[in-house]
Amino acid sequence: MAVSSLLAVCMLCAATLRTGLGLHTVSAIYGETIDIPCGQDKLDGLLFCKWKYERPDGTAVFVASRYAGKNKVTYDDDPDYNGRLNLSENYTLSISNARISDEKRFVCMRITAENVFEEPNLIKVFKPPSKPEIINQPTFMETGQLNMVGDCVANDSFPDGNITWYRNGQVLLPVVGVVSIEWSKQKNATSGLHNMRSTLQYMSTKDDINAEFSCVVTYYVPDGLATMESDPVIFDIYYPTEKVTIHIQSPKKTIKEGDNITLKCIGNGNPPPQEFLFYLPGQEEGLLSSSAYHITDIKRNATGDYKCSLINKIMIASTMVTVHYLDLSLTPSGDVTKQIGDSLSVSCIPSASKNVSVTWMKNQKILTQPSFTNLQYRDSGVYECETSLMEVDGLRRKKILRLTIEGKPRIKLSKTTNADGKSKTILYEVDGFPKPEVQCLSLGNGVYLNKTEETALSNGRYSAKIIISPEENVTIICSAENRLGKETFSLNIFAINSPEPIDPNDRSGDSNDHAKLIVGIVVGLLLAALVAGLAYWIYIKKSGSASKHVGKELGNTEENKKLEENNHKLEA
């Protein structure tokens, strides 16, 4: 067919136009490619296909054409579609980089020798909005008044959508004086996209502490509706103080005299009050302070009821402070010296904030309270009187009595013959305090005897040994002396070759000093001489009448002389 004939056919299009069965809608996403098919059925005798779109005023604008059987495509000069079109072999028109302005009615015209077939397509472009965001948020919300929550914005949407506010997942609907929502949108004249905004005002309460506020935008997509949620926001809720409490800040459960404590006053408002009035026990006027009131080196008389309130003197709170203490009195105490046999009364009396018991110890051993009526050396030592309040962080007191018992020396001696038969052992035992100094003397030659090292016995007694080998009978005298006095003890020792008789006097005799011992010996000799003289006088008296017969009855003169010599020896 000649070109002129084709043009003639086109001129007749208006009279001979045949359309498809109905309007076909093509949905596309903003910025992506739009594919518009040109009918589904095949036409016999198809000459060529031509695409056009309609302006709002109804006029048609041709954009592309393709001849049947030839790989020849022609694109019309249109500023809106230059470089964006592609017409495929099956006459599908593709538009790249979809825009909002592409929302038109595009018509595919298939032309045969006899007719023109049109397939109209309505283009719909969708643009999801940006993720909604809450802006213009306040730093806090106050109870009892409408507070600005923020503006929820979702931009660059097509078509426009809707914004809904949520609190903890529940929809917020407008309520007079409680919830106020304002909605607005703006269309970009260049891009044709919509910017949406919703402003929320809300009457907050204490129940909104940690509550999550969010907004959700609902928008259109080719398949229907979709939603997108903002990040949740949480606000600091300010509310007035409704209650005041006071407590003790201390690392210990109990308080004892000398501790440092801090009283903390807290209001339950937000933000919490920073200043309070503190009332000490017995004081009616409060002391202005921060929320913490410090007391250092607290005393027992500080026990009592402590209070605090807001500075307007309302909402008073109180707490009881108990200051524990412990005193201990020991009578007598320290260093005490007594004489053996004395009596001593001891008392240890505690004074404490709670009932306590007293424990006595001597040499790390527990004993009952000591009472001394007849002091002995064994009573000497260090006595500890102790009491404690274990539940008050180890509150403990201890007093010490260092008791010393003094006495004059006492000494005694005993003797034994050693198994070898060549020596004898003299054993002395001594007691007294201060410790006596002991010296032992052989009376015959006045020589001081060496003794072994003293061995400590029980209850302040000491002992030592003296080893001697006497060639003749001797008397041993031992003396013990300290600053309180002196005592001596004598013991007769037979020669080494003579057996020791059993003589109780040798084990128990004693004297005060050397003079008493010597006087005793002299008196004994005088008594012996007196007895001998008395016997001689009686003898002479009985034989006075027979003096003339002396030679015959009593022996010769030599025997008389011997008798007189013996009498003189006795007298001496």
Side-chain angles (χ1 to χ4, degrees), residues 313-506:
K313 298 184 178 182
I314 63 173
M315 301 181 193
I316 296 179
S318 65
T319 185
M320 183 66 184
V321 175
T322 300
V323 182
H324 292 281
Y325 63 91
L326 177 59
D327 296 331
L328 189 63
S329 175
L330 175 61
T331 306
S333 62
D335 296 322
V336 176
T337 300
K338 302 294 287 185
Q339 297 295 313
I340 190 168
D342 286 352
S343 61
L344 179 64
S345 177
V346 179
S347 65
C348 187
I349 302 174
S351 175
S353 54
K354 298 181 68 175
N355 292 332
V356 294
S357 59
V358 172
T359 301
W360 279 93
M361 297 186 69
K362 180 184 180 184
N363 300 329
Q364 305 302 318
K365 294 182 180 180
I366 298 176
L367 67 157
T368 58
Q369 179 172 341
S371 179
F372 308 106
T373 57
N374 183 19
L375 288 169
Q376 300 298 317
Y377 294 121
R378 62 175 176 271
D379 296 321
S380 293
V382 178
Y383 294 82
E384 297 179 359
C385 172
E386 184 175 6
T387 185
S388 63
L389 287 174
M390 297 304 296
E391 66 272 22
V392 188
D393 193 28
L395 185 58
R396 185 186 303 269
R397 295 290 183 267
K398 180 169 67 175
K399 295 289 186 178
I400 294 178
L401 166 63
R402 286 178 289 271
L403 179 60
T404 302
I405 307 302
E406 293 186 342
K408 296 179 181 180
R410 294 184 300 178
I411 187 171
K412 66 177 181 178
L413 278 67
S414 62
K415 59 187 177 181
T416 57
T417 300
N418 297 333
D420 59 4
K422 298 179 180 180
S423 61
K424 297 188 178 185
T425 298
I426 295 92
L427 174 69
Y428 73 76
E429 293 184 5
V430 64
D431 63 13
F433 193 85
K435 181 182 176 183
E437 184 71 25
V438 178
Q439 288 185 333
C440 291
L441 176 69
S442 176
L443 189 59
N445 52 21
V447 176
Y448 285 99
L449 302 176
N450 294 326
K451 59 181 183 291
T452 62
E453 185 176 352
E454 286 185 333
T455 301
L457 304 176
S458 61
N459 298 325
R461 294 185 300 118
Y462 300 87
S463 69
K465 295 179 180 179
I466 300 171
I467 309 299
I468 61 173
S469 300
E471 297 296 334
E472 58 183 11
N473 299 345
V474 295
T475 298
I476 302 300
I477 297 177
C478 290
S479 64
E481 183 177 7
N482 63 13
R483 58 180 175 81
L484 299 179
K486 179 178 180 181
E487 183 177 81
T488 60
F489 194 105
S490 65
L491 190 63
N492 295 324
I493 308 298
F494 281 73
I496 193 62
N497 55 4
S498 300
E500 291 286 349
I502 299 176
D503 186 359
N505 293 330
D506 285 346

Side-chain angles (χ1 to χ4, degrees), residues 35-38 49 51 64-68 70-73 75 85-95 108:
D35 294 321
I36 312 172
C38 184
C49 175
W51 280 91
S65 60
R66 187 182 185 104
Y67 287 91
K70 297 180 180 180
N71 189 20
K72 183 178 180 181
V73 180
Y75 297 103
L85 301 179
N86 181 59
L87 186 57
S88 67
E89 291 181 359
N90 63 357
Y91 308 108
T92 296
L93 181 65
S94 298
I95 306 173
C108 174

Side-chain angles (χ1 to χ4, degrees), residues 500-520:
E500 291 286 349
I502 299 176
D503 186 359
N505 293 330
D506 285 346
R507 296 183 179 272
S508 59
D510 60 324
S511 61
N512 292 329
D513 50 29
H514 291 117
K516 289 183 178 180
L517 178 61
I518 294 173
V519 170

